[in-house]
Amino acid sequence: MTEELTGAEIVLKALKDQGVEFIFGYPGGAVLPIYDAIFQQDQIEHILVRHEQGATHAAEGYARSTGKVGVVLVTSGPGATNAVTGLTDALMDSIPLVCISGQVATHLIGNDAFQECDTVGITRPCTKHNWLVKDVRDLARILHEAFYVAQNGRPGPVLVDIPKDIQLSVGPYVGPKNIEHKTYKPRVKGDLEAIRAAVDLMAGARKPVFYTGGGVINSGPEASQLLRELVRMTGFPITSTLMGLGAYPASDKQWLGMLGMHGTYEANMAMHDCDVMICIGARFDDRITGRLDAFAPNSRKIHIDIDPSSINKNVKVDVPIVGDVGYVLEDMIRIWRSNAAQVDKAALKVWWTQIDAWRARNCLRYRPSTDVIMPQYAVERLYELTKDRETYITTEVGQHQMWAAQFYKFEHPNRWMTSGGLGTMGYGLPATIGVQLAHPDALVIDIAGDASVLMTMQEISTAVQYELPVKIFILNNQYMGMVRQWQQLLHGNRISHSYNESLPDFVKLAEAYGAVGLRAEKPDELDDAIREMIDVKRPVIFDCRVAALANCFPMIPSGKAHNEMLLGAEVDDEDIATAIDEEGKMLV
């Protein structure tokens, strides 16, 4: 016998059947029936954020650190529009979210009713798919479809818009069995002939490189293990995008570090000079490729991706393989072994000699100081004091994000949460909330900037309410650091509106929220203050005062190629790079 429930009860029943643990949301008139249903159950915990953008980023943090779907609940009108930034962020970075939005009653749609907006129209470009529910009899099926679409194929956000009268109507509930979208059926198994061609191309390589991305992590922990097996089996060097950090251990000798705009010299030079590039779960983003007509000009390219629209979109490849990274890597390893494939060991030895010469430049070297905390040093000390714990790192967006990627070494997948594609200032703080809820005994740290963190600072109140001991580690240089760096290097040193003239006292701000405030201003204060931050079992805002004008190098200027990197003056005085000393004097 079919169970009859109200639309609001159907929502909660569907979420329970999908295994949802947390809903990140903010109530409003158009979703009050759902909130009433939440009140009458205790299986799913609702997390009250302070802004709907915070709800989406918290759900992203939960999803990215667990591989599960994050769930967001917002009201109509401004509730839905406030969620757009987070939905776009999730789409760009392939994070599975289900956003449920309230809508005005069906008879009011199109009449400019109070808190009405065209949520489906607004979110169509920033979701994988969305639905406006017009009949309560379709509601359960649509909700289950939403979870299917969010997590299958290339993961991403979806939205279900539910008018208020649908929430109050009574209709049948159907479970999630055999629910899938009628037309969305992603291919997960790669073409075996293409995989064989890839193996042959790899075996004949003289200067190969693995280029990996977030798709490896999205495929699951097994994919990361298969990647490690393949890399060690071949002896090839490996680099990664910002979103792929942790899929391969940073401590391994074959690891070249991150590539791209602020990647390492050795990673970018290897990408430029390689003859065979194996791209796994990445999409040839502009922050990676630099100038397209000069991108790895002498290489043949293999591209493995579950999203067929990413193949040949930005870069023409020689061997395209559409499929889930985990399945494809499994087949690739099996075929490599069955073929008894052998690499050109002599050529590979020469290639590694060249890579070691690039490594010897020590491109991440910076000028140490005993008087002021260098931001690189702050991240290094944070890493050393937390590396032996179960630690999860989120970031905001800017210089601090790049320093975190460069100097915090990730050994495991799903430990690194950052906004890669959209570059959303304000991402990191609410993301820590989702991560901490998913991993209550772990150490969760947002490496933040003083400008970015203010974008969503209100979510400290959420952390306090739910007693989440998140740590907000602010590299406070009193600037929008990356904006200032570009203005100095590329815009004639015209510092236009990137200096933060009226920052709050972050220690007092923390205390006002009921959190703990800490500060370090000198290098010899740093370790003890970090240890205190770790030991405190409450939310912490750590104001780490760093050198105001430090720049983030290496750097590929926009429109340049991989072999046209700017290196800091500390690396090579003859480089054309520019550095800034503490007084703001230009050093060339």
Side-chain angles (χ1 to χ4, degrees), residues 261 287 486 490 555-560:
M261 179 170 280
R287 291 300 194 220
W486 280 50
L490 306 175
M555 174 182 173
I556 303 175
S558 182
K560 298 294 185 180

Side-chain angles (χ1 to χ4, degrees), residues 104-177:
V104 300
T106 51
H107 69 278
L108 294 175
I109 293 175
N111 290 333
D112 294 330
F114 177 67
Q115 290 193 331
E116 180 196 357
C117 73
D118 180 6
T119 301
V120 166
I122 290 169
T123 61
R124 186 172 289 120
C126 60
T127 56
K128 282 182 70 176
H129 195 62
N130 60 20
W131 296 260
L132 172 62
V133 182
K134 298 178 181 179
D135 189 327
V136 70
R137 291 172 293 185
D138 297 326
L139 179 56
R141 174 186 56 79
I142 286 173
L143 288 165
H144 296 311
E145 273 187 19
F147 277 85
Y148 171 84
V149 173
Q151 60 193 322
N152 280 276
R154 178 180 173 181
V158 299
L159 179 136
V160 181
D161 199 32
I162 311 176
K164 191 169 184 179
D165 57 322
I166 301 298
Q167 299 171 38
L168 295 168
S169 301
V170 174
Y173 178 76
V174 294
K177 290 183 180 180

Side-chain angles (χ1 to χ4, degrees), residues 19 21 59 62-70 96 151:
E21 301 174 283
Y62 173 86
R64 180 73 173 171
S65 66
T66 62
K68 300 177 183 178
V69 177
Q151 60 193 322

Side-chain angles (χ1 to χ4, degrees), residues 450-527:
D450 51 280
S452 279
V453 76
L454 290 176
M455 293 270 187
T456 53
M457 178 57 76
Q458 72 280 347
E459 300 308 331
I460 279 290
S461 183
T462 305
V464 170
Q465 176 179 339
Y466 294 96
E467 300 180 342
L468 303 173
V470 299
K471 319 301 182 187
I472 312 303
F473 188 76
I474 303 172
L475 301 183
N476 184 354
N477 59 12
Q478 298 184 293
Y479 280 93
M480 300 174 202
M482 192 63 80
V483 174
R484 189 269 308 152
Q485 177 170 332
W486 280 50
Q487 288 173 338
Q488 287 190 322
L489 299 183
L490 306 175
H491 295 277
N493 201 28
R494 291 180 290 277
I495 309 303
S496 180
H497 299 279
S498 56
Y499 176 60
N500 294 328
E501 295 190 45
S502 57
L503 287 173
D505 181 324
F506 286 110
V507 171
K508 290 182 178 178
L509 184 62
E511 293 167 352
Y513 273 112
V516 174
L518 300 173
R519 179 176 291 120
E521 300 185 62
K522 299 291 183 182
D524 59 4
E525 301 171 356
L526 190 56
D527 279 19

